[in-house]
Amino acid sequence: MSTENWIFNKQNEIKKHKATIPGTLHTDLFQNQLIPDPFFGANEKQLQWIENENWEYETHFTISKADLKNQNIDLEFEGLDTYATVYLNGKVVLDADNMFRKWTISAKSHLKIGTNHLKVVFHSAVQKGKEEAKKLSYTLPEKERVFVRKAQYQFGWDWGPRFVTTGIWKPVQLKFWNSGKIENIKYSQIELNDKKAILEFTTEIYVSKVKTIQLKINEKSETFNLKKGKNKIKMTYEIANPKLWWCNGLGDANLYHFTVEISHKNQLLDSKKLHIGLRTFELIQEKDQIGSSFYFKINGKSVFMKGANVVPPDSFLPRVSDSTYFSLVENAKKANMNMLRVWGGGVYFDDAFYEACDANGILVWQDFMFACSMYPGDEKFVENVKQEVIDNVNRLQNHPSIAIWCGNNENDEGWHNWSWQKQFNYSKADSTQIWNDYKKVFHEMIPQTLDSLLPKGKNIYWSSSPSKGWGRKESLTQGDVHYWGVWWGKEPFEIYEKKVGRFVSEYGFQGMPNMETLQKVINKEDLNFTSEALKNHQKHPTGYETINEYMERDYVVPKDFEDYLYVSQLLQARGMKTAIEAHRRAKPYCMGTLYWQLNDCWPVTSWSSLDYFGNWKAFQYQAKRSFENLLLSVANENDKYKVYLVNDDFENYSGKLELELLSFDGKSIWKTSKEISVEENTSTIVYEILKEELKSFDWQQTVLKVQLNEVQSNYFFAKPKELKLQKPTIQIRTIDSFTFEISSDILAKDVFIYSEGEVFFEDNYFDLLPHEKRLIKLSKAAKEIKVKSLFDTMQ
């Protein structure tokens, strides 16, 4: 049905235009040249009228005599955004009210031989939300968006524009079937050890009358007698010498492929495919002297989680292809991540994302779609959310990548810490009602629904992230924390080393995208901080001011705009390196670090490490280095510099640790070495230097190089703006079309390599020590390679 000729119009307007299904209203308007590019300049502001209108989509399609002979014909919408009345040949067959649900209608009785007419009328989600809000005697934070079961970020966020979309955003199809179909398949692990795995498959089968069917799972077949309607049948399956599924960096993400078929008298009725990973997964919360632990065990081993939060990759979701999701996950894997958090203000991602995570060993912390507010708790709303939970948990639960289900993002935190009671002047009765509604959804309905859908081994639920707000002492001693003292609290980066939680599931700092990205959405003359276009591509109210304030602390602030973009990325990378490495050094007290945020939904200045087009900012390269399984990290602690070796591998590590103080022109000032050995899965102090020992050196032109076999780290004693840098002579020697060697006569700080034509460099934004030679690989041949270092911006 998606490929039929669809047209759309504004309600009560006669003129109709060509539509693309799946699609959104905004992209259809743009493709018909009825609006300018929503992402360009400050166009967003003039497009806000769209959200207040009702819109109609329609198509004609043909049904043959043979089609109509099928016993059952279902009209299935995988996604309608959001309030939609569906007419089939003039009759209302569906009223939809949830973007996140699948809607199926038995359509046979409404169809006829020949031409049929399908029409979907979309009602303004903004107007509907406002109508619902008026029914309450009090105001909920975030106004109309909380009443509407659609992607919350589309109402505007501090990194995203306001485009409240509508439309048939996922495929629509007519499904013809006769005697039986598979509704759902789930499996549980009955037994798992080195010798065997026993799985129990539960298959939901719908048959139109009593019959005997054969259920076949790969090569194993059994016969069952089914009653008319829905049947749940169980069948076990054994695997000898099973290979376990591991997360990235710790082993292979082994998958087993299953084909499940149902047939009657040797005639195939339906089949589905499943890809299963065998693994155990636990959330360990045990009381200790400080508070209580919060860490994950996979296959019996405790694992430090390294990764990021992900947001929807576009404001207009049907534009997100499977390859976009594959690329997102691939970039996470390349940066040595093993977990991504699907944040609660967006959408449940397409299957392609979870399949990519399964194949690449990336675990998923899956939020339900609620963020940064309080929500209604009336019976209709709760029942709607319950069906949303059922649809999405049934769709996603077989993925080995799914690690934990989380009720919401920052709702609990907001209620207890963001002064809503005072701001909205709630009475005691209002507050009680709002909190009871919260508990009804997140402490009762969702966990109870999960209990009914999931086997014990897959049912890890956390009601809200974070469990405690960053201003409260307990936030650092138990549960997970979103630490926003840096950025929101304007605290220095160094505070990250003191404020370390048990599992840090959000923290971040903004960096601007590169020039190439901004030029795609902003005119050349508007690339300055006074232009409306550039201001519109920063959604935090004091974002640019905050970047500038931090930049003044640590860097010489460049006057040139392009240099400013580059230094803003260095600033972001520097802050995040400080945080990530502090979290990792604190292992096993801290057992997870998920930064905010991996990606963007449009080209913007934000906390992302990948820009909207998938380009790596300096921070993404730094994350890759800071997430290596073996990390050498130097900490400034009281009267000492302490060298840590963090070892995330499941084997002991030993070698010769070499330390050398170098002047920026390459003279060796001091050196020492020692043989060391560290245990698996630990963070260990492997060397300590008394500050007293180094006091005679000029810290502004000295770097400490620490090396252990192939692992290396450079430590600077002063802030970048205090370093006495000199102009380096950087040389590039071509090895072949895809490889070059780079070197410098003296220290080149934060070397940035770039070229026109979207060339990806395997390493970038790195410090090049005097006479060090580095091989750099390219994604494709580059016409001209340009180089910049921090010195160039300090003049």
Side-chain angles (χ1 to χ4, degrees):
M1 294 287 288
S2 301
T3 55
E4 300 290 344
N5 291 319
W6 286 83
I7 51 174
F8 78 101
N9 60 281
K10 189 159 84 169
Q11 200 170 39
N12 302 323
E13 278 191 2
I14 296 161
K15 190 158 190 208
K16 299 182 190 300
H17 310 277
K18 189 176 176 349
T20 302
I21 306 296
T24 73
L25 178 64
H26 289 75
T27 45
D28 282 335
L29 288 168
F30 178 53
Q31 277 162 3
N32 283 278
Q33 298 180 334
L34 298 168
I35 60 169
D37 181 349
F39 284 176
F40 198 86
N43 288 345
E44 175 198 358
K45 293 174 182 176
Q46 69 189 65
L47 302 179
Q48 295 310 304
W49 61 273
I50 297 168
E51 68 182 35
N52 294 305
E53 304 292 339
N54 298 336
W55 300 86
E56 298 178 350
Y57 279 74
E58 60 186 311
T59 190
H60 291 88
F61 61 97
T62 306
I63 291 288
S64 68
K65 193 175 181 181
D67 290 336
L68 216 51
K69 277 186 178 164
N70 284 285
Q71 288 173 32
N72 302 281
I73 307 174
D74 291 341
L75 175 60
E76 183 180 279
F77 291 94
E78 284 186 36
L80 289 167
D81 178 14
T82 293
Y83 293 94
T85 304
V86 178
Y87 298 84
L88 189 49
N89 291 326
K91 285 190 178 154
V92 175
V93 292
L94 171 68
D95 272 310
D97 59 357
N98 190 323
M99 177 183 183
F100 306 123
R101 285 174 61 183
K102 185 159 91 171
W103 303 92
T104 306
I105 308 125
S106 180
K108 184 173 178 180
S109 61
H110 302 286
L111 295 168
K112 60 186 184 185
I113 295 168
T115 302
N116 290 257
H117 181 233
L118 178 62
K119 180 178 179 179
V120 187
V121 177
F122 289 99
H123 313 280
S124 162
V126 170
Q127 298 304 332
K128 286 275 188 187
K130 285 175 178 171
E131 286 165 24
E132 290 299 315
K134 279 180 193 161
K135 294 177 186 175
L136 294 182
S137 59
Y138 47 81
T139 304
L140 289 177
E142 299 301 327
K143 301 175 185 145
E144 75 271 10
R145 81 160 162 86
V146 300
F147 298 91
V148 180
R149 289 315 295 146
K150 82 184 256 66
Q152 303 282 279
Y153 80 107
Q154 294 176 343
F155 292 83
W157 223 268
D158 58 7
W159 40 264
R162 183 176 173 113
F163 290 121
V164 185
T165 60
T166 196
I168 303 169
W169 77 286
K170 285 191 168 186
V172 51
Q173 49 202 336
L174 277 177
K175 285 191 166 174
F176 302 91
W177 60 282
N178 289 303
S179 38
K181 65 173 177 174
I182 298 171
E183 289 270 292
N184 188 37
I185 307 165
K186 56 180 94 169
Y187 78 96
S188 55
Q189 287 172 184
I190 305 300
E191 194 178 325
L192 178 62
N193 55 48
D194 293 346
K195 292 195 167 55
K196 66 178 174 182
I198 300 176
L199 306 178
E200 183 179 69
F201 288 86
T202 304
T203 309
E204 276 182 29
I205 301 170
Y206 198 95
V207 288
S208 50
K209 58 185 179 186
V210 174
K211 62 172 52 187
T212 303
I213 65 114
Q214 285 76 45
L215 173 66
K216 190 179 178 192
I217 300 178
N218 285 1
E219 73 292 339
K220 187 181 178 183
S221 182
E222 285 184 27
T223 302
F224 296 89
N225 295 315
L226 304 187
K227 64 180 194 299
K228 183 184 175 185
K230 191 182 278 189
N231 297 261
K232 275 188 186 181
I233 57 177
K234 294 183 187 295
M235 185 166 142
T236 58
Y237 189 97
E238 191 169 315
I239 298 168
N241 307 315
K243 291 178 177 175
L244 296 180
W245 185 93
W246 285 98
C247 60
N248 182 35
L250 297 176
D252 294 329
N254 294 299
L255 293 172
Y256 286 88
H257 307 289
F258 291 91
T259 302
V260 180
E261 297 176 342
I262 54 167
S263 53
H264 175 65
K265 293 181 178 173
N266 292 328
Q267 185 185 354
L268 182 69
L269 303 179
D270 201 0
S271 73
K272 286 199 186 309
K273 290 195 183 307
L274 275 185
H275 310 292
I276 287 172
L278 303 175
R279 50 92 169 151
T280 62
F281 199 79
E282 305 159 83
L283 169 59
I284 308 296
Q285 294 186 83
E286 292 169 341
K287 286 204 166 13
D288 54 29
Q289 291 169 317
I290 303 144
S292 64
S293 66
F294 189 102
Y295 67 95
F296 295 104
K297 268 189 175 178
I298 184 163
N299 300 326
K301 297 269 198 180
S302 55
V303 175
F304 190 102
M305 294 302 159
K306 300 175 285 199
N309 290 257
V310 279
V311 302
D314 206 306
S315 291
F316 308 114
L317 289 157
R319 297 204 296 208
V320 181
S321 63
D322 287 359
S323 63
T324 306
Y325 281 122
F326 295 154
S327 171
L328 198 61
V329 173
E330 203 175 274
N331 281 324
K333 185 181 183 179
K334 276 184 189 167
N336 299 307
M337 297 182 192
N338 58 18
M339 180 177 264
L340 292 173
R341 174 174 173 240
V342 178
W343 168 76
V347 290
Y348 308 93
F349 286 168
D350 289 355
D351 293 344
F353 170 80
Y354 302 94
E355 286 163 9
C357 288
D358 294 345
N360 288 289
I362 304 293
L363 289 155
V364 176
W365 172 309
Q366 178 66 53
D367 282 6
F368 289 102
M369 293 302 123
F370 300 88
C372 305
S373 190
M374 299 304 278
Y375 286 78
D378 58 275
E379 198 176 325
K380 187 183 172 198
F381 184 86
V382 175
E383 182 55 35
N384 193 359
V385 172
K386 183 179 178 178
Q387 292 307 314
E388 168 191 324
V389 170
I390 290 167
D391 274 11
N392 286 287
V393 171
N394 277 341
R395 176 170 72 93
L396 300 177
Q397 66 159 293
N398 293 323
H399 290 283
S401 53
I402 295 279
I404 182 171
W405 304 91
C406 179
N408 64 70
N409 173 76
E410 297 185 344
N411 297 12
D412 185 310
E413 143 91 329
W415 182 251
H416 289 105
N417 283 343
W418 294 355
S419 307
W420 285 334
Q421 284 91 323
K422 194 175 168 186
Q423 186 186 341
F424 296 103
N425 201 22
Y426 294 139
S427 66
K428 195 173 179 195
D430 293 341
S431 287
T432 303
Q433 177 69 52
I434 293 166
W435 184 244
N436 284 342
D437 285 347
Y438 175 91
K439 288 195 294 188
K440 197 187 296 177
V441 175
F442 301 107
H443 294 177
E444 294 163 26
M445 183 276 289
I446 292 179
Q448 286 163 12
T449 306
L450 290 177
D451 288 345
S452 73
L453 297 173
L454 296 170
K456 199 164 183 283
K458 291 186 192 172
N459 192 358
I460 299 173
Y461 176 67
W462 190 240
S463 63
S464 185
S465 179
S467 47
K468 294 281 185 290
W470 62 267
R472 296 160 78 187
K473 194 178 70 185
E474 314 91 86
S475 70
L476 300 177
T477 61
Q478 63 187 60
D480 71 319
V481 60
H482 295 184
Y483 191 76
W484 284 106
V486 171
W487 185 266
W488 283 100
K490 300 282 187 75
E491 293 172 346
F493 290 148
E494 290 73 21
I495 202 78
Y496 279 136
E497 295 171 326
K498 296 184 177 73
K499 306 283 188 176
V500 176
R502 309 309 294 259
F503 192 105
V504 193
S505 48
E506 254 196 47
Y507 59 96
F509 194 87
Q510 285 196 352
M512 297 180 75
N514 65 26
M515 197 65 160
E516 214 172 355
T517 292
L518 288 178
Q519 283 171 338
K520 288 177 181 171
V521 290
I522 296 173
N523 285 321
K524 198 174 178 182
E525 63 271 19
D526 289 332
L527 289 170
N528 60 73
F529 288 104
T530 60
S531 81
E532 280 307 304
L534 193 73
K535 285 177 188 170
N536 195 53
H537 286 79
Q538 162 64 278
K539 291 300 178 186
H540 189 280
T542 59
Y544 287 138
E545 293 93 323
T546 304
I547 291 171
N548 207 67
E549 186 177 322
Y550 274 86
M551 198 184 285
E552 284 174 347
R553 294 178 193 176
D554 284 8
Y555 288 86
V556 174
V557 179
K559 292 181 176 64
D560 177 77
F561 184 74
E562 200 165 342
D563 284 348
Y564 194 97
L565 300 182
Y566 157 71
V567 174
S568 86
Q569 290 197 24
L570 300 182
L571 177 72
Q572 180 191 30
R574 175 176 165 79
M576 295 298 89
K577 175 185 195 284
T578 306
I580 292 169
E581 298 193 6
H583 301 158
R584 291 194 64 196
R585 290 194 302 265
K587 174 182 180 167
Y589 178 84
C590 175
M591 284 298 284
T593 181
L594 308 177
Y595 65 76
W596 185 266
Q597 66 205 71
L598 181 63
N599 63 319
D600 281 323
C601 70
W602 76 315
V604 67
T605 293
S606 83
W607 294 265
S608 71
S609 57
L610 297 170
D611 75 19
Y612 171 73
F613 299 106
N615 300 310
W616 286 36
K617 293 187 192 173
F619 172 27
Q620 180 77 4
Y621 287 99
Q622 184 55 55
K624 180 184 179 182
R625 292 189 277 269
S626 292
F627 282 153
E628 288 278 5
N629 267 16
L630 289 164
L631 173 75
L632 280 169
S633 181
V634 180
N636 178 350
E637 295 179 20
N638 303 320
D639 60 342
K640 292 174 182 170
Y641 294 105
K642 295 181 180 177
V643 181
Y644 287 76
L645 179 62
V646 184
N647 178 14
D648 283 352
D649 286 331
F650 293 150
E651 52 187 47
N652 297 349
Y653 192 80
S654 58
K656 187 180 183 183
L657 179 73
E658 298 176 274
L659 294 92
E660 186 174 16
L661 272 182
L662 291 167
S663 64
F664 290 174
D665 59 3
K667 291 190 184 76
S668 179
I669 303 169
W670 170 94
K671 57 164 45 172
T672 187
S673 65
K674 71 179 261 200
E675 293 293 329
I676 62 156
S677 182
V678 297
E679 290 183 14
E680 63 169 292
N681 210 8
T682 56
S683 168
T684 310
I685 297 169
V686 290
Y687 202 88
E688 295 184 355
I689 309 170
L690 282 167
K691 287 184 181 173
E692 187 69 20
E693 285 183 54
L694 305 179
K695 69 176 186 184
S696 60
F697 306 123
D698 183 350
W699 289 9
Q700 291 174 292
Q701 47 185 346
T702 309
V703 58
L704 175 64
K705 177 187 169 189
V706 187
Q707 186 138 8
L708 179 65
N709 303 340
E710 71 285 356
V711 187
Q712 190 190 317
S713 178
N714 300 324
Y715 181 80
F716 292 88
F717 299 92
K719 290 183 172 187
K721 71 175 182 183
E722 295 162 355
L723 298 176
K724 294 175 184 171
L725 297 176
Q726 291 179 307
K727 185 171 179 61
T729 302
I730 298 171
Q731 290 189 313
I732 286 178
R733 186 170 70 87
T734 303
I735 308 293
D736 57 46
S737 300
F738 302 100
T739 319
F740 64 84
E741 181 191 84
I742 188 166
S743 61
S744 175
D745 59 338
I746 59 173
L747 171 75
K749 183 103 182 72
D750 300 311
V751 173
F752 170 42
I753 315 158
Y754 56 109
S755 176
E756 287 172 12
E758 293 170 0
V759 178
F760 174 72
F761 297 94
E762 200 174 52
D763 199 6
N764 215 336
Y765 301 94
F766 50 81
D767 297 326
L768 197 55
L769 296 180
H771 313 300
E772 176 189 2
K773 288 180 167 61
R774 246 181 220 240
L775 283 182
I776 307 290
K777 293 205 172 296
L778 296 75
S779 60
K780 59 183 181 183
K783 280 183 189 168
E784 185 192 0
I785 293 168
K786 298 171 187 171
V787 184
K788 180 183 287 192
S789 77
L790 186 61
F791 175 84
D792 302 322
T793 71
M794 294 171 79
Q795 302 318 298

